[in-house]
Amino acid sequence: DTHQRMAFSNSITFGRNKLSEWELEHPGVHRLRYAREILARMGIIREKSDDTGELDERHPLKPDVKGAFENHFHGDEIEHIRLRLREGRLVDQIRKEVHADPYDVTIIGGVDQRGNTRRLIQFVDTSFVVINQFTKPNYNLLYCTDISDTANRALMFGAKVAKAMNVRMDILRVAEKETVEEAREAVQRAETLLRRGGIPHEVIIEEGEVLEKILSVADEKYGIVMGASQRSEIKKFLLGSTPIKVVQRAKTHVIVVK
């Protein structure tokens, strides 16, 4: 038994070493290579200064970096570019990654069939950018507001994104349980902030059911910006939350700010 355990341990070590040398066929390694190539073509990962055309690595792919395989590069505008591979259940591994380093935003692909997107937004402690379609390089933004603390944080976050991308950010308020006049008053702070920031915008007031109005106004014209639900986890599980329902049904990108 001791010999079998040692042999098994040695085979794992050998496999991990080969994986770290990029020699082992593994779907995750292919994804890292693909990401590396895209970032290099975009000029985000810089080349060495010796005219060899080689990428400027801090270190090649190696195991056991905060529980992951990591390939670490120098960037031009971004100092540290880390490509990491984790093995295990998606939600668990992203939670471990977020716990290992202080990330502000997690970027993920759109709706999946296993409910991972919903669980990630509920249980991972970062804001999220959910890419549902990538057909236009520059979307205008639609800030969907209520009176919650997370909506206020979404306003600040969305304003920074709009400023950086040089796009407009319109304000949507759905008067579901209030009058149109009350809805207009409620968006004055957001209007003032965008005006002072020099961000082009207009106010859109709609009457009706919140989810359906957000989806119909946004359609494929806007990227959606909204605050995360402040319901308890039990209520989210039993009743769902508007941001998660928007992510699941939207035809465009959604930024959910916590």
Side-chain angles (χ1 to χ4, degrees), residues 153-255:
R153 290 195 289 272
L155 170 64
M156 302 300 293
F157 188 94
K160 290 178 182 178
V161 173
K163 195 79 171 177
M165 295 180 63
N166 193 29
V167 298
R168 64 183 298 116
M169 186 169 83
D170 293 339
I171 304 166
L172 172 64
R173 177 83 175 196
V174 181
E176 185 177 39
K177 298 179 180 178
E178 61 190 352
T179 66
V180 170
E181 291 71 23
E182 290 171 334
R184 290 192 183 279
E185 290 180 9
V187 300
Q188 288 180 357
R189 178 179 178 275
E191 249 194 307
T192 299
L193 185 141
L194 296 183
R195 185 172 59 252
R196 289 177 178 173
I199 299 169
H201 65 278
E202 65 179 52
V203 175
I204 303 169
I205 304 295
E206 293 281 341
E207 293 182 277
E209 198 273 323
V210 173
L211 174 63
E212 297 303 328
K213 288 298 180 180
I214 290 173
L215 295 173
S216 64
V217 172
D219 194 38
E220 297 181 19
K221 303 187 294 291
Y222 292 97
I224 298 169
V225 181
M226 58 194 312
S229 173
Q230 293 187 304
R231 282 178 168 175
S232 69
E233 298 303 331
I234 293 295
K235 286 185 177 179
K236 287 180 190 176
F237 179 78
L238 295 175
L239 304 174
S241 73
T242 297
I244 289 173
K245 291 175 182 176
V246 168
V247 166
Q248 291 172 332
R249 293 181 53 189
K251 298 177 181 179
T252 185
H253 311 328
V254 183
I255 300 174

Side-chain angles (χ1 to χ4, degrees), residues 21-184:
E21 294 168 10
W22 301 77
E23 295 179 6
L24 192 66
E25 292 298 317
H26 188 289
V29 172
H30 290 307
R31 296 290 179 89
L32 291 188
R33 285 176 179 157
Y34 182 62
R36 180 186 65 181
E37 290 168 3
I38 289 176
L39 295 174
R41 285 201 301 268
M42 295 177 68
I44 295 173
I45 296 177
R46 73 185 185 204
E47 295 182 353
K48 292 181 179 179
S49 57
D50 55 9
D51 297 324
T52 61
E54 294 181 1
L55 298 179
D56 193 358
E57 280 187 323
R58 291 176 180 264
H59 64 71
L61 189 72
K62 68 178 183 180
D64 301 322
V65 178
K66 297 186 177 181
F69 290 89
E70 181 185 271
N71 195 194
H72 193 176
F73 297 92
H74 292 276
D76 279 330
E77 298 183 10
I78 304 172
E79 183 178 357
H80 297 279
I81 299 172
R82 298 180 174 92
L83 304 182
R84 286 183 179 164
L85 169 64
R86 290 182 174 273
E87 298 177 290
R89 293 183 177 180
L90 177 66
V91 177
D92 292 341
Q93 294 305 317
I94 292 181
R95 290 183 72 179
K96 288 179 181 178
E97 181 66 29
V98 169
H99 182 72
D101 276 307
Y103 297 101
D104 296 314
V105 181
T106 300
I107 303 174
I108 59 176
V111 178
D112 62 273
Q113 300 300 316
R114 298 182 179 180
N116 285 324
T117 302
R118 174 181 57 80
R119 289 193 290 272
L120 286 169
I121 294 174
Q122 283 185 241
F123 300 121
V124 175
D125 192 22
T126 67
S127 296
F128 277 84
V129 177
V130 183
I131 308 298
N132 280 323
Q133 293 187 18
F134 195 74
T135 56
K136 293 170 60 179
N138 289 313
Y139 282 84
N140 289 321
L141 299 179
L142 182 69
Y143 166 60
C144 305
T145 177
D146 55 25
I147 58 173
S148 67
D149 291 338
T150 55
N152 291 331
R153 290 195 289 272
L155 170 64
M156 302 300 293
F157 188 94
K160 290 178 182 178
V161 173
K163 195 79 171 177
M165 295 180 63
N166 193 29
V167 298
R168 64 183 298 116
M169 186 169 83
D170 293 339
I171 304 166
L172 172 64
R173 177 83 175 196
V174 181
E176 185 177 39
K177 298 179 180 178
E178 61 190 352
T179 66
V180 170
E181 291 71 23
E182 290 171 334
R184 290 192 183 279

